Amino acid sequence: MLQARSDRRVERIAAARALANEGRVEEVRAAVAELRDDGTTELTPDDEVVLAIAVAVALVNCDEFDAARAELERVRPLLAGASALAAAMFHTIMGVSVGHEGSGDEAIASIVLALASVESVSEAGRDLAMVLRNCGMKLAMEQLFPLAVETAERGVAVAEAAGLSRGEWLHAVGYATLTWAMRLEHLGLDAEAALRWQAADERFATALDDPGIPLLTRAFAYTHRAVASARLDRPQPARDFLEQSRETAARPVTPLLRRRRLHAECAVLAAEGRYADARHLLTAYWQEAARLQT
């Protein structure tokens, strides 16, 4: 019987993390269990933390936030022996997984810990870029917009220094800018909001020009660009971008992607002047989003 080579540990961990990014929970769990049960593969504290993060990421992508936090808490005692970068990844996903009502301070505290942890990381790489990307997007969700954009842009710079394609990281800058535009519009600052909508649209356009952007991120980028185009009163391009998102073969379609497409559909309908249809869909969207405290 052939034994799995222990020197393929890094590749096998990377494969599990790739499955996590697509929300394929059961496949991630199976891959992680196989690694842990393989007597030829010795896992370091960093490996154990990273594998728990992979499971948590998959769970977060499927809206299973409590289960994600439970998986992370299981390996928290290992942080003392883990690297600064692994600790930063842990605190980032812990912050992202915090989604219950009134939890903003808890989420921000985790993100601050993540950003503090990476201050000692000097080598550019994908994991460092990912921490900065995810921190930027979570800061945007917590309405800390200037810091969110700055942090996401740091992620782009790290990705470029590491020789990675820019699309995945530029999408995060676009998302932070998009949410900033939403908030400005809510406050009645339409002129300033329009500048942010335009900036977001440009970031998404550049991200989508990158052939290396992952399918799930590409689907989100088209969806978000549809929202920006709709708010810029460009209904036909907005409709086209939404259709391109739906045609992107991201599998599975995560709950978040489904909700974002529904949100974009509402924005496009409003841009098309179909207000009754938009109002009907928004009611359904809001019922689900409110239940999740999104």
Side-chain angles (χ1 to χ4, degrees):
M1 178 177 175
L2 292 176
Q3 293 289 323
R5 288 169 44 197
S6 60
D7 60 356
R8 291 190 61 243
R9 173 181 55 86
V10 173
E11 293 93 324
R12 293 168 71 187
I13 292 173
R17 295 177 66 188
L19 292 170
N21 290 335
E22 298 177 4
R24 294 158 67 175
V25 177
E26 294 310 315
E27 291 174 70
V28 176
R29 287 193 186 279
V32 170
E34 184 180 342
L35 264 165
R36 287 177 177 151
D37 294 342
D38 184 353
T40 67
T41 303
E42 183 176 352
L43 298 177
T44 66
D46 263 25
D47 293 338
E48 289 285 4
V49 171
V50 168
L51 288 171
I53 290 168
V55 175
V57 166
L59 290 165
V60 165
N61 283 336
C62 294
D63 287 348
E64 297 182 36
F65 301 111
D66 291 342
R69 288 193 296 278
E71 182 67 25
L72 293 171
E73 290 295 348
R74 188 183 60 76
V75 297
R76 187 186 287 275
L78 300 177
L79 291 181
S83 66
L85 185 53
M89 293 162 62
F90 174 94
H91 291 305
T92 301
I93 302 306
M94 182 63 80
V96 171
S97 70
V98 173
H100 53 81
E101 189 173 0
S103 62
D105 289 347
E106 184 182 348
I108 292 169
S110 291
I111 296 303
V112 169
L113 279 172
L115 293 175
S117 296
V118 296
E119 288 305 312
S120 63
V121 179
S122 57
E123 184 177 352
R126 183 177 182 82
D127 285 341
L128 177 56
M130 189 70 75
V131 166
L132 294 168
R133 186 200 77 160
N134 290 340
C135 283
M137 295 178 78
K138 184 60 178 180
L139 288 167
M141 294 176 194
E142 299 299 331
Q143 301 187 43
L144 298 173
F145 300 114
L147 181 58
V149 172
E150 177 187 337
T151 302
E153 286 178 339
R154 285 177 61 195
V156 175
V158 169
E160 290 177 334
L164 304 171
S165 58
R166 305 171 71 220
E168 187 171 0
W169 324 103
L170 281 168
H171 171 258
V173 180
Y175 175 78
T177 308
L178 184 85
T179 53
W180 196 351
M182 289 181 190
R183 185 57 178 160
L184 290 168
E185 194 171 87
H186 294 165
L187 295 171
L189 302 172
D190 291 350
E192 191 173 348
L195 296 175
R196 301 295 175 191
W197 291 124
Q198 184 61 47
D201 181 69
E202 291 168 0
R203 296 298 186 280
F204 294 134
T206 306
L208 288 164
D209 281 341
D210 176 10
I213 190 172
L215 283 177
L216 185 58
T217 307
R218 179 175 292 278
F220 273 116
Y222 275 127
T223 303
H224 293 145
R225 195 175 186 195
V227 174
S229 295
R231 302 312 298 149
L232 289 166
D233 197 24
R234 302 170 185 166
Q236 189 55 57
R239 174 63 65 189
D240 292 341
F241 293 136
L242 181 54
E243 291 308 313
Q244 285 175 287
S245 172
R246 289 169 173 155
E247 291 169 4
T248 301
R251 296 290 183 274
V253 174
T254 65
L256 180 58
L257 177 57
R258 182 179 54 76
R259 285 198 303 277
R260 291 279 171 83
R261 284 173 173 168
L262 180 57
H263 182 191
E265 179 66 38
C266 295
V268 174
L269 287 170
E272 293 171 338
R274 297 166 59 186
Y275 300 114
D277 292 337
R279 195 172 295 116
H280 173 75
L281 283 181
L282 276 170
T283 300
Y285 169 79
W286 184 250
Q287 287 174 344
E288 180 174 348
R291 179 176 57 81
L292 294 168
Q293 290 94 43
T294 301

